[in-house]
Amino acid sequence: MSVRIAVLGAGRIGQVHARAIAENNTAILAAIADPIATAANAVADHYGCDVRTIDEIAASDDVDGVIICTPTDTHADLIEQFARCGKAIFCEKPIDLSVDRVRACLDVVNECKAVLMVGFNRRFDPHFAALKAAINKGDIGASEMAVITSRDPGAPPLDYIKRSGGIFRDMTIHDFDMAVFLMDEMPVTIQASGSVLVDPAIGAAGDYDSASVILTMASGKQVTISNSRRATYGYDQRIEVHGSKGMVAAENQRPVSIELATSSGYTRPPLHDFFMTRYIDAYAHEIAAFIDSIVNATPASPDGQDGLNALRIADAALLSAQSGKAVHL
Amino acid sequence: MSVRIAVLGAGRIGQVHARAIAENNTAILAAIADPIATAANAVADHYGCDVRTIDEIAASDDVDGVIICTPTDTHADLIEQFARCGKAIFCEKPIDLSVDRVRACLDVVNECKAVLMVGFNRRFDPHFAALKAAINKGDIGASEMAVITSRDPGAPPLDYIKRSGGIFRDMTIHDFDMAVFLMDEMPVTIQASGSVLVDPAIGAAGDYDSASVILTMASGKQVTISNSRRATYGYDQRIEVHGSKGMVAAENQRPVSIELATSSGYTRPPLHDFFMTRYIDAYAHEIAAFIDSIVNATPASPDGQDGLNALRIADAALLSAQSGKAVHL
Amino acid sequence: MSVRIAVLGAGRIGQVHARAIAENNTAILAAIADPIATAANAVADHYGCDVRTIDEIAASDDVDGVIICTPTDTHADLIEQFARCGKAIFCEKPIDLSVDRVRACLDVVNECKAVLMVGFNRRFDPHFAALKAAINKGDIGASEMAVITSRDPGAPPLDYIKRSGGIFRDMTIHDFDMAVFLMDEMPVTIQASGSVLVDPAIGAAGDYDSASVILTMASGKQVTISNSRRATYGYDQRIEVHGSKGMVAAENQRPVSIELATSSGYTRPPLHDFFMTRYIDAYAHEIAAFIDSIVNATPASPDGQDGLNALRIADAALLSAQSGKAVHL
Amino acid sequence: MSVRIAVLGAGRIGQVHARAIAENNTAILAAIADPIATAANAVADHYGCDVRTIDEIAASDDVDGVIICTPTDTHADLIEQFARCGKAIFCEKPIDLSVDRVRACLDVVNECKAVLMVGFNRRFDPHFAALKAAINKGDIGASEMAVITSRDPGAPPLDYIKRSGGIFRDMTIHDFDMAVFLMDEMPVTIQASGSVLVDPAIGAAGDYDSASVILTMASGKQVTISNSRRATYGYDQRIEVHGSKGMVAAENQRPVSIELATSSGYTRPPLHDFFMTRYIDAYAHEIAAFIDSIVNATPASPDGQDGLNALRIADAALLSAQSGKAVHL
C-alpha cells in the first residue's frame, strides 16, 4: 500500500520533505501548496505532482496525510483544519508559541482522534538514534546526567529572531525535546541563564544569543545544555549521557573527514555549516516514520504532547533566565 | 539539456547506477537491459523506464549513453559495439582481464572517437577527492610517499575468486589506480608479496588473500599497499600521502559515529561492512561525472588508458609475487 | 641559588611533592614532618633529608619554604604560623572550609607579607595550561562560554565525605577555580543542582554525588559544570571554552593509547583511574612554580585570594542547590 | 639488593640513561666515563657519582653492569672487554655495522656467558608494549600483517649520515626489530625500495632518505614499512598489526593534546619533535628491564641475537634496494 501525501509550503524545509517523500518507496507525493505559484510549480515540475490550494487538499479524497511547512503562526489552525477532515498530520515544530493555543489545538486533535506528529527531527538522526538505542540496551546502566552542546554556525536574520519566540522556544527547544526523549522523564526544576554575547542587536530585539540550562528531573537526573547562536567551526551538535555503567556520546559530523598534518599541527575540516546538510538523513527518517505510522496505523511519535512538553520547558527556562530563579514545573 | 542513459545489467551495481541516474537532475534513465526479465522489470517498474535488449539499445536514437554492468567477460565486446554506434560509454572495471584484449578494445574506442569512462569509483569518494584536492592545492608540498590500506570485510565466494583474475587484478587494482591518480605518475618498478593467510581454499584456487606491494615511480616516489581479504571490523579503506610540507590522510567511514565509554574502554562502532554503503556517495558522483562529460562534451576521466594502466600494474604485481623479483614496467 | 623546602605531612600527596622537590634542579628537600614516624622516615630515607617536627621546621634557619600537606583542619593555623616566621608557603586546597576562617587567615598572610600559594594543581596541567595559553593568544577571540566536565572514577570513603565540606567545596571547587582562571572573571550568579544518584549513603551523609552548575559572570559569560562521583571509564576531566572566533578543548588522558578494532568495534583503553597519575605532570609543574616564586621573589599564583574565591563560589553553589534559587555574589 | 651501574659516554643518550638509573629504586649510578672531562663531571656533579676511566670501571669491584653509550665503532670492543670481566652489559644499538664483527663479538659474549642487552628502546614504549600485550593476549587472533610507519622530524647531520651505515642500518633497523618482535618470526624474503626525495645531499653521500620495505615471513605473514627522514608534523611513529580476529594499532604521541576549532577546522598540535621526548618512558623502562635482568639473573631481552637479526635484515634491505631484487635470508 502506498500513502499519498501533500506538502503545505514549498519553502526550504517543504522542499526537503517533498524530496524525502519522492524517494520513499511507500509514499507518493500527491500535491504541493504554496501561495507563491513559482515555488509550488517548481516542486510540482520536479516531482510530477499536482499544485493545489490548502483547501483543495483538505477536500481531496486522494490525500492521506499532510506535511505542514507553513509559517509558525498558521500551524495550529492548519492542524485543526486537517484533524477535522481526517488527514494524518505532520507539523514542523512548534505547534504554536503559546502554550494555551497548543493545548486548545491538541484538544481538537484528541477529539478527532487525529494522527499528529511533530517535527523534532533530531530524534531521527542516525547518531542520536544509535545513542538512544545504546541507552535502551542498557549499555550505560541507569542514565544519570546528560550534557548537550548545541551551537548554530550563525544567528538567523533579526527579523526571524523577532518572530521566533526567543532562543529557548526556537533553538533550545530541540535540546529540551532531546533531554526528555533521552532521559524518559520531564524536568521538575529548570534553571537557566541567558546572555547577549554574540550580537547586541539580538539583545536589542529582546532575545538572548547565548544560554545555559540545567534541567533536574523528579528522579534527580540532571541535564545541562549549552547554546550559542554562533560557532565559527560549524554546526556543533553533541550529546552525551552518563550513567551507572558508562557514558555514550554522539560525535559531531563533518562533510569530509580528511586530516592534514603540517608543522602547524593536525587539522580536520570544519563541521557541517547548515542544519539541512547536517540533518539530511534525520529528515528522511522522520518522514519515513510518519509514513509508517499512517501505513501501520501506529501512534505517531513525537506527538503533540511532546511538542507541548518542550514548549512548557522553554517557557520555564525563559522565566528562569529573566527572573534569576529556578522554575518548577 | 537532459541526457538519456541506458543501463546494461540489472544486478547489484546496475541498480545502484540506475538510482544514481534517476536522482540526477540532468539525466533520464531511458532503458534497462538484462537477460533475467524479472530483474529488468523490477528496475523498469521502480523508475518508470523501458526494458530493452542490448541490441535494441544500441539501435535506439533516444539513448545518449550506456552504463555497462554486465559480467566482466562481456565488457570489451560491449564497449566496441557501443563505441561503433556512437554512444557514450561508462564501463565497470575491468575492461578485460587480458592486457592485449584491453589494448585492442581501446584501439576501437580511439578509432570511433568514443567517450569511454571506466568505473574506478574511489576517485569520486568525497573523502579521497578532498585528499586529492588538498594535494593539488599544495597543502603537503611535493608528494613523496603514499600508504594505502585496503581490506575487505570478507572474501568473496570462491566461485567469484576463480573468475576474478586474482587479488591483484580484482582488488588491488583499485589501489593501483588510486596510486597513479594521487601521485600523477606511473610506477617503473613493482615489488609484491602474496600470501594465503585467510582461507586455504583461496590458495587452492590459485590466488592470494593477503598482499603487500611497493610501487616506485620514475621520480623515486613510493607507494606501499597492504591488502587483506578479511577485516573483522569492517571495510578498511585508508589512504595517506606524505610530502615535503606535510601529510594528508583520509579516515575510515562508519555508518554511525557514537562512542561508548565503560570500564572496558572507549568503543566506537565498526566500519561500514559493505562496499556499496561505504561508497554510495562515490557511485553517485561517478555517474554525475559521466553525465557531465556527455553534456559538456569534455573528456571522460578515468578513461580507458587509466583502466589499462591499472591492469598493467596488476599483472606486474602478480609476476613479482610469483617470481619473487621486482618487475619493471 | 637553591631553595630549601620542608614538607609537612608524609601522606600520599606529601610524597608526591617530596619527589617533585627532589627532582627539581633548583630546590633541595630539607626536611619532612609527620606525626607518624615510619611515614616520615620512609621519605627521609628515600630522599636523604631530615625528619623534623613542625615547630622545628618553623624555627629552622635553613628552610626557605614549606609545603602543607596535613589534614584540612590544620591548614589555616599552619599558614598563620609559617607566615609569621617568614617562610614561603604552599598549601594544599582548601585553606579552610569556612569563608570566615579563610578571611582571617589571609589577613595574617597579608600583614606578614607572606608568600602563599594554594594547590589548585589543574592550572599546571600541561593540557589545561596549553588551553589557557591558546585563549590568551587570542585563538578563540573573546571567551564566551565554558563547559567543564569533571567526574571521579569512584567516590571517596564515606568517612572522607563527611569531613570534606560536601561535593561543591571538595570536588567542584577545582572546577570553580578553573572557571575563574580561564574566564578571568568572577561569577555574579550561581545556579546549582545537586542529586544523589550514585550511592544513597552519600545522601544519608548529607552530601550530593552528582551536581550541575551554571556560573554567570558580570559580563554575561557563562560556565556550565557537570560533576559525578563515579565514572566507570576513568577520571573524566574535560574543559572546553567557546569564543567569538572558535573553541578550544582539552582532551582526556589515558595511560596508553592503543586502539583495538574487532567485530565489536574500535576500542581504546579507559582513562587514568587515579588523580595522581592523571595529574602527575601538573604536580611537578605546580611545585616548580612555587619554587620559582621563591627564587625570583615574584607573586605566587594561585594565591590565597584564589582559594577564597573558589570557596565563596562553592558556598553559593551549595546554597543554590539546597534552596533551589540562584545565588548572587 | 641494589645494583651498581656505570655509564660509558656522557653524551645525550648517556645522560638519559644516567637519569633513568638515578630515579630507579633498585639501582645506583656508580660511575660515569667520558674522554671529555666537563661532560663526565657534569653528570657526576648532578647525580653524585664517580668519574672513572673505562679501564678503571672494568677493574672496579663495585660495578655490576655497564651501559655503553660510546660511538658505534667502539661498541663491539667494549662489549668484549666487559664480557671478559664479568659485567652485565647494556649496549646502544648497533653492536657494529658489520655482521661479521657482530658475530665475532657475540661469540665472545657466549663464551663468557655474559649478560648482553641491546638498546632497541621501542620495545619498551608503553604504547608499543601494550600493543604487543594485546597480541599476546589473543585480541587480534593470529597475526597476519603489520604496517609500520616511521618518519623522523628531520634528517640528522650529513656527517652523521656518512658514518651511520645508511638508512636501513641506522633508522629502519628499529622497525626491523619491531617487526620481528611483534610477529615472533624472522623474514625469509626482503623487498626494499630506496629513494632520495628529501635532500639531494643525502643521495650524494650514498644514502637514501625515503624507503619502503616488505618483509615476508616463512609463514607468509607480511610487514610493510614506510620511512622518511623528514616529517614536518613531528616524529611519526605508528604500528598496526592485523590478524584473524582484528587489528591493534598504536597511535602517535604529542606533548599536549588540546584541540582548537575555528573556521579553518579542528586542529591538534604537532607530534613530539624529538626522539628523546617521544621515547622518554621507553628509555626508563628499558633501563629498568636491564636492572631487573641483573637483579633476578634472568636473560636480558632484546639480546645480541636480536641485534644481529635486525642488522641482517638491514643488510638484505640495502641489497634489495640497490639490486632491485628480492633478497632471501
Side-chain angles (χ1 to χ4, degrees):
Chain A
M1 172 200 152
S2 279
V3 292
R4 298 177 57 86
I5 309 289
V7 173
L8 315 187
R12 209 164 52 176
I13 189 69
Q15 291 171 38
V16 167
H17 291 326
R19 180 183 174 97
I21 296 163
E23 293 185 1
N24 187 294
N25 288 332
T26 318
I28 290 165
L29 179 63
I32 179 83
D34 200 290
I36 301 173
T38 51
N41 288 336
V43 170
D45 288 352
H46 198 276
Y47 297 107
C49 72
D50 291 350
V51 172
R52 299 182 195 168
T53 66
I54 286 177
D55 288 343
E56 285 169 355
I57 290 168
S60 297
D61 283 345
D62 68 341
V63 168
D64 302 303
V66 293
I67 295 191
I68 302 176
C69 307
T70 53
T72 293
D73 58 8
T74 66
H75 286 184
D77 289 347
L78 288 173
I79 289 171
E80 295 180 355
Q81 176 179 7
F82 283 91
R84 288 191 171 110
C85 61
K87 308 297 188 203
I89 305 158
F90 175 98
C91 185
E92 274 303 317
K93 68 97 195 163
I95 295 173
D96 196 89
L97 294 174
S98 151
V99 162
D100 287 344
R101 182 68 190 89
V102 173
R103 287 193 206 272
C105 176
L106 295 187
D107 284 348
V108 174
V109 169
N110 289 337
E111 276 163 33
C112 302
K113 300 192 192 325
V115 169
L116 172 62
M117 181 167 164
V118 173
F120 285 124
N121 58 300
R122 291 185 198 176
R123 295 191 181 200
F124 299 92
D125 174 68
H127 314 287
F128 295 148
L131 184 148
K132 172 71 169 165
I135 295 171
N136 288 353
K137 202 152 51 98
D139 286 349
I140 62 164
S143 297
E144 292 170 357
M145 305 187 80
V147 176
I148 301 179
T149 306
S150 185
R151 299 179 186 134
D152 286 350
L158 264 187
D159 186 54
Y160 174 87
I161 282 184
K162 287 173 187 166
R163 290 175 288 110
S164 71
I167 191 169
F168 295 112
R169 290 196 195 98
D170 177 58
M171 181 176 168
T172 328
I173 198 164
H174 281 289
D175 305 312
F176 294 142
D177 180 64
M178 288 306 287
V180 173
F181 175 60
L182 292 171
M183 306 305 266
D184 274 324
E185 196 178 359
M186 276 290 281
V188 292
T189 306
I190 291 98
Q191 296 163 290
S193 176
S195 299
V196 179
L197 300 170
V198 173
D199 184 355
I202 294 175
D207 198 0
Y208 306 116
D209 54 35
S210 305
S212 298
V213 184
I214 303 172
L215 307 180
T216 306
M217 293 7 197
S219 62
K221 294 177 187 180
Q222 301 171 1
V223 179
T224 56
I225 300 169
S226 178
N227 279 174
S228 172
R229 282 290 195 185
R230 179 251 297 113
T232 58
Y233 49 89
Y235 195 35
D236 188 357
Q237 300 276 292
R238 286 170 287 155
I239 298 179
E240 69 174 56
V241 184
H242 180 249
S244 57
K245 292 189 182 163
M247 174 183 65
V248 63
E251 300 168 355
N252 267 317
Q253 301 297 315
R254 42 174 55 84
V256 286
S257 53
I258 63 170
E259 190 165 42
L260 176 67
T262 70
S263 56
S264 304
Y266 278 66
T267 300
R268 293 175 295 157
L271 308 178
H272 283 285
D273 60 358
F274 189 34
F275 69 92
M276 289 208 172
T277 52
R278 167 64 183 82
Y279 284 120
I280 189 148
D281 290 338
Y283 286 117
H285 295 169
E286 173 183 66
I287 294 303
F290 175 59
I291 292 166
D292 279 356
S293 75
I294 302 177
V295 172
N296 303 315
T298 48
S301 174
D303 63 11
Q305 183 62 41
D306 293 305
L308 177 61
N309 286 344
L311 184 61
R312 288 180 63 216
I313 303 172
D315 282 2
L318 180 59
L319 181 58
S320 174
Q322 288 176 336
S323 69
K325 293 180 186 158
V327 173
H328 305 280
L329 276 195
Chain B
M1 173 202 153
S2 280
V3 292
R4 299 179 55 87
I5 308 288
V7 173
L8 315 188
R12 209 163 54 175
I13 189 69
Q15 292 171 38
V16 167
H17 291 327
R19 181 185 174 94
I21 295 163
E23 293 186 359
N24 188 295
N25 289 331
T26 318
I28 290 165
L29 179 62
I32 180 82
D34 200 290
I36 302 173
T38 52
N41 288 337
V43 170
D45 287 353
H46 197 276
Y47 296 106
C49 73
D50 291 350
V51 173
R52 300 185 194 166
T53 66
I54 286 177
D55 287 343
E56 285 169 355
I57 290 169
S60 296
D61 282 346
D62 67 343
V63 169
D64 302 304
V66 293
I67 295 191
I68 302 177
C69 308
T70 54
T72 293
D73 57 8
T74 66
H75 286 182
D77 289 348
L78 287 173
I79 288 171
E80 294 180 355
Q81 176 179 7
F82 282 92
R84 287 191 172 111
C85 60
K87 308 296 188 203
I89 305 158
F90 175 97
C91 184
E92 276 302 317
K93 69 98 199 164
I95 296 173
D96 196 89
L97 294 174
S98 151
V99 162
D100 287 344
R101 182 67 189 90
V102 172
R103 287 193 205 273
C105 176
L106 295 187
D107 285 346
V108 174
V109 169
N110 290 336
E111 275 164 32
C112 301
K113 298 191 192 329
V115 169
L116 171 62
M117 182 168 163
V118 173
F120 285 124
N121 58 300
R122 291 185 198 177
R123 294 191 181 200
F124 298 92
D125 174 67
H127 314 288
F128 295 148
L131 184 147
K132 172 70 169 167
I135 295 172
N136 287 354
K137 203 152 49 98
D139 286 350
I140 62 164
S143 297
E144 294 170 356
M145 305 187 80
V147 176
I148 300 179
T149 306
S150 185
R151 299 177 187 135
D152 286 349
L158 263 187
D159 187 53
Y160 174 86
I161 282 184
K162 287 174 188 167
R163 288 176 288 111
S164 71
I167 191 169
F168 294 112
R169 289 196 195 97
D170 178 58
M171 179 176 171
T172 327
I173 199 165
H174 282 289
D175 305 313
F176 294 142
D177 180 63
M178 288 305 288
V180 173
F181 175 59
L182 292 171
M183 305 305 265
D184 275 324
E185 196 178 358
M186 276 289 281
V188 291
T189 306
I190 292 98
Q191 295 162 288
S193 176
S195 299
V196 179
L197 301 169
V198 173
D199 184 354
I202 293 175
D207 199 0
Y208 306 115
D209 54 34
S210 305
S212 299
V213 183
I214 302 171
L215 306 181
T216 306
M217 291 11 194
S219 62
K221 294 178 187 181
Q222 301 171 0
V223 179
T224 56
I225 300 169
S226 179
N227 278 173
S228 172
R229 282 290 196 184
R230 179 249 300 113
T232 59
Y233 48 90
Y235 194 36
D236 188 357
Q237 300 277 292
R238 286 170 287 157
I239 297 179
E240 69 175 55
V241 183
H242 181 250
S244 57
K245 292 188 180 164
M247 174 182 66
V248 62
E251 300 168 356
N252 266 317
Q253 301 297 315
R254 42 174 56 83
V256 286
S257 54
I258 63 171
E259 189 165 43
L260 176 68
T262 70
S263 56
S264 304
Y266 278 67
T267 300
R268 291 176 294 157
L271 308 178
H272 283 285
D273 60 358
F274 188 35
F275 68 92
M276 289 206 172
T277 52
R278 166 63 183 85
Y279 283 120
I280 188 147
D281 290 337
Y283 286 118
H285 295 169
E286 173 184 67
I287 294 303
F290 174 57
I291 292 166
D292 278 357
S293 76
I294 302 177
V295 171
N296 303 316
T298 49
S301 174
D303 64 10
Q305 184 61 43
D306 294 305
L308 177 61
N309 286 344
L311 184 62
R312 288 181 62 217
I313 302 172
D315 283 3
L318 179 60
L319 181 58
S320 175
Q322 288 175 335
S323 68
K325 292 180 188 159
V327 173
H328 304 281
L329 275 195
Chain C
M1 172 200 154
S2 280
V3 292
R4 298 178 58 87
I5 308 287
V7 173
L8 315 187
R12 207 163 56 176
I13 188 71
Q15 292 171 38
V16 167
H17 291 327
R19 181 184 175 95
I21 295 163
E23 294 186 359
N24 189 294
N25 288 333
T26 317
I28 290 165
L29 179 63
I32 179 85
D34 200 291
I36 303 173
T38 50
N41 289 335
V43 169
D45 288 353
H46 197 277
Y47 296 108
C49 71
D50 291 348
V51 172
R52 300 185 195 166
T53 66
I54 286 177
D55 287 342
E56 285 168 355
I57 289 169
S60 296
D61 282 345
D62 68 341
V63 168
D64 303 303
V66 294
I67 295 191
I68 302 176
C69 308
T70 53
T72 293
D73 56 9
T74 67
H75 286 183
D77 289 347
L78 289 173
I79 289 171
E80 294 180 356
Q81 176 179 7
F82 283 92
R84 289 192 172 111
C85 59
K87 308 296 189 204
I89 306 158
F90 175 97
C91 184
E92 276 301 317
K93 68 95 199 166
I95 295 174
D96 195 273
L97 294 174
S98 151
V99 162
D100 287 343
R101 181 69 189 91
V102 173
R103 286 192 206 272
C105 177
L106 295 187
D107 285 345
V108 175
V109 169
N110 289 336
E111 277 163 32
C112 302
K113 299 191 190 332
V115 169
L116 171 61
M117 182 168 162
V118 174
F120 286 125
N121 58 301
R122 291 186 198 175
R123 293 190 182 201
F124 298 93
D125 174 68
H127 313 288
F128 294 149
L131 183 147
K132 172 70 168 167
I135 295 171
N136 288 353
K137 202 151 50 99
D139 286 350
I140 63 164
S143 296
E144 293 171 356
M145 306 188 80
V147 176
I148 300 179
T149 306
S150 185
R151 298 179 186 134
D152 286 349
L158 262 187
D159 187 51
Y160 174 88
I161 282 184
K162 287 174 188 166
R163 289 176 287 112
S164 70
I167 191 170
F168 294 113
R169 290 196 195 98
D170 178 59
M171 179 175 170
T172 328
I173 198 165
H174 281 289
D175 306 312
F176 293 143
D177 180 64
M178 287 305 286
V180 173
F181 175 60
L182 292 171
M183 306 305 266
D184 274 324
E185 196 178 1
M186 277 288 282
V188 292
T189 306
I190 292 98
Q191 295 163 288
S193 177
S195 299
V196 180
L197 301 169
V198 172
D199 184 353
I202 294 176
D207 199 2
Y208 306 115
D209 54 33
S210 305
S212 300
V213 184
I214 303 172
L215 307 181
T216 306
M217 292 10 195
S219 62
K221 295 176 186 181
Q222 301 172 0
V223 179
T224 56
I225 300 169
S226 179
N227 278 174
S228 172
R229 282 289 196 185
R230 179 250 298 114
T232 59
Y233 49 89
Y235 194 36
D236 188 357
Q237 300 277 292
R238 285 170 287 157
I239 298 180
E240 69 175 55
V241 183
H242 181 249
S244 57
K245 291 189 183 163
M247 175 182 67
V248 63
E251 299 169 357
N252 268 316
Q253 301 297 316
R254 42 173 56 83
V256 286
S257 55
I258 62 170
E259 189 164 43
L260 175 67
T262 70
S263 56
S264 304
Y266 279 66
T267 300
R268 292 176 293 158
L271 308 178
H272 284 285
D273 60 358
F274 189 34
F275 69 91
M276 289 207 173
T277 51
R278 168 61 183 85
Y279 283 120
I280 187 147
D281 290 337
Y283 287 118
H285 294 170
E286 175 184 64
I287 294 304
F290 175 57
I291 292 166
D292 279 356
S293 75
I294 302 177
V295 172
N296 303 315
T298 48
S301 172
D303 63 11
Q305 184 62 43
D306 293 306
L308 178 61
N309 286 343
L311 184 62
R312 289 181 64 215
I313 303 173
D315 283 3
L318 179 59
L319 181 58
S320 175
Q322 288 175 335
S323 69
K325 291 179 186 158
V327 174
H328 305 281
L329 276 195
Chain D
M1 172 201 153
S2 278
V3 293
R4 298 179 56 86
I5 308 288
V7 172
L8 316 188
R12 209 163 54 176
I13 189 69
Q15 292 171 38
V16 167
H17 291 327
R19 181 183 174 95
I21 295 163
E23 294 186 0
N24 189 295
N25 289 331
T26 317
I28 290 165
L29 180 63
I32 178 85
D34 200 290
I36 303 174
T38 52
N41 288 336
V43 169
D45 288 351
H46 198 277
Y47 296 107
C49 72
D50 292 349
V51 172
R52 300 184 194 166
T53 66
I54 286 178
D55 287 343
E56 284 169 356
I57 289 169
S60 298
D61 282 346
D62 68 343
V63 168
D64 302 305
V66 294
I67 296 194
I68 302 176
C69 308
T70 54
T72 294
D73 57 9
T74 66
H75 287 184
D77 289 347
L78 288 173
I79 289 172
E80 293 180 357
Q81 177 178 6
F82 283 91
R84 289 193 171 109
C85 59
K87 309 296 188 203
I89 305 158
F90 176 97
C91 184
E92 275 302 317
K93 68 97 194 162
I95 296 173
D96 195 274
L97 293 174
S98 150
V99 162
D100 287 343
R101 182 68 189 90
V102 173
R103 287 193 207 271
C105 176
L106 295 187
D107 285 346
V108 174
V109 170
N110 290 337
E111 276 163 31
C112 302
K113 298 192 195 324
V115 169
L116 171 62
M117 181 166 162
V118 173
F120 285 124
N121 59 301
R122 291 186 198 176
R123 294 190 182 202
F124 298 92
D125 174 68
H127 314 287
F128 294 148
L131 183 148
K132 172 70 170 167
I135 295 172
N136 288 353
K137 201 151 52 96
D139 285 350
I140 64 164
S143 297
E144 293 170 356
M145 305 187 81
V147 176
I148 300 179
T149 306
S150 186
R151 298 178 187 136
D152 286 350
L158 262 188
D159 186 53
Y160 174 87
I161 282 184
K162 286 175 190 167
R163 288 176 289 112
S164 71
I167 192 169
F168 294 113
R169 291 196 194 96
D170 178 58
M171 179 176 171
T172 328
I173 199 166
H174 281 289
D175 306 312
F176 294 143
D177 180 64
M178 287 306 287
V180 173
F181 175 60
L182 292 172
M183 305 305 265
D184 275 324
E185 195 178 0
M186 277 287 282
V188 292
T189 306
I190 292 97
Q191 296 162 290
S193 176
S195 299
V196 179
L197 301 170
V198 173
D199 185 354
I202 294 175
D207 198 2
Y208 306 115
D209 55 35
S210 305
S212 299
V213 184
I214 302 171
L215 306 180
T216 306
M217 292 11 195
S219 62
K221 294 177 186 181
Q222 301 171 0
V223 179
T224 56
I225 300 169
S226 178
N227 278 175
S228 172
R229 282 289 195 186
R230 180 250 298 113
T232 60
Y233 49 90
Y235 194 36
D236 189 357
Q237 300 276 293
R238 286 170 287 156
I239 298 179
E240 69 175 55
V241 183
H242 181 249
S244 57
K245 291 187 181 163
M247 174 181 66
V248 63
E251 299 169 356
N252 267 317
Q253 301 297 317
R254 42 173 57 83
V256 286
S257 54
I258 62 170
E259 189 165 43
L260 175 68
T262 70
S263 56
S264 304
Y266 279 66
T267 300
R268 291 177 294 158
L271 308 178
H272 284 284
D273 59 358
F274 189 34
F275 69 92
M276 289 208 171
T277 51
R278 168 62 184 84
Y279 283 119
I280 188 148
D281 289 337
Y283 286 118
H285 295 169
E286 173 184 67
I287 294 303
F290 175 57
I291 292 166
D292 279 358
S293 76
I294 302 178
V295 173
N296 303 315
T298 48
S301 173
D303 64 10
Q305 184 62 43
D306 293 306
L308 179 60
N309 286 343
L311 185 62
R312 288 180 62 216
I313 302 173
D315 283 2
L318 179 59
L319 180 58
S320 175
Q322 288 175 336
S323 69
K325 291 179 188 160
V327 174
H328 305 280
L329 276 196

